[in-house]
Amino acid sequence: MKIFAHRGCSGAYPENTLAAFRAASELPIEGIELDVHLTKDGELVVIHDELVDRTTDGTGFVKDMTIDQLRLLDAGSWKGSRFEGERIPFLSEVLELFTETQHILNIELKSDIFPYPGMADKVMALVQFMELEERAILSSFDHEVVRYLSSEYPHIQTGCLTMEVMVDFPDYLKKLSASAAHVLFPTALRQMGQELKAAGIPIRAFTVNDESYADLLAQAGVEAIFTDYPERFIQQKSVSSLE
Ligand code: G3P
Ligand code: MG
């Protein structure tokens, strides 16, 4: 079972910052996950929420702020004073950390609340420019954008995100030509998980922070987990037969 650092090493570092991704880049794990939004002036930035309020010293929506306004914000201090000065990164800055590594790069497009017209093409242009297509997975709770990506860029891996227990999920994924199911982890243990496994569709589960679930999820056929604490699962891997 593969380990993906969720928002970087977000348990120990401020989520979705270069500090969190630098730490992840140094770990023996298979992948990382990050969240992308679009600024008012069309820049791709890595942050989870639509609002900057929770993870920075600013207030307001990313979509209403220019990159210059966003880059003034402190995205580290909320996690601890030693992280003061961390910024909301450009997507390009985060990807740059991984150009010489083997990590799988899961870019989550946060277009499910605000549609961010043109964001998917911008992400793809950057991924192609940086020659990361083979290691990239583009996922979203916005299934319209998953369908768009699968149709416009059939060679790119996509992930359909859901928090729900879905019925006939494999059929739905085939309809969208999506490559994988990215699911809230307890749902992987339901009939839905069994159906995905039987259909040979990769299941990736979020957000798994308790290592006692690892064996159960591996048995359910989960290909990868997203975790805020990759270190815990690396330790577990070294003492178990998990692959
Ligand atoms: O991509 C997996 C996971 O990150 C989805 O949920 O809210 O943490 O972005 P969220
Ligand atoms: Mg995410």
Side-chain angles (χ1 to χ4, degrees), residues 108-165:
E108 182 188 341
L109 281 69
K110 285 288 189 194
S111 51
D112 47 309
I113 307 285
F114 300 119
Y116 296 129
M119 181 164 77
D121 290 318
K122 284 190 184 208
V123 170
M124 276 307 303
L126 182 63
V127 166
Q128 287 170 333
F129 177 73
M130 296 184 78
E131 299 181 351
L132 293 169
E133 290 149 281
E134 291 193 358
R135 286 196 280 140
I137 301 170
L138 271 56
S139 65
S140 191
F141 288 105
D142 168 9
H143 296 179
E144 292 172 354
V145 87
V146 172
R147 181 175 59 181
Y148 174 77
L149 286 163
S150 304
S151 127
E152 292 296 311
Y153 306 95
H155 56 287
I156 199 77
Q157 291 187 67
T158 54
C160 231
L161 273 158
T162 182
M163 303 252 205
E164 311 301 329
V165 178

Side-chain angles (χ1 to χ4, degrees), residues 6-7 33 35 48 106 108 110 139 141 161 206 226:
H6 181 242
R7 311 179 194 173
E33 187 263 2
D35 305 293
H48 179 269
N106 182 188
E108 182 188 341
K110 285 288 189 194
S139 65
F141 288 105
L161 273 158
F206 62 91
F226 301 99

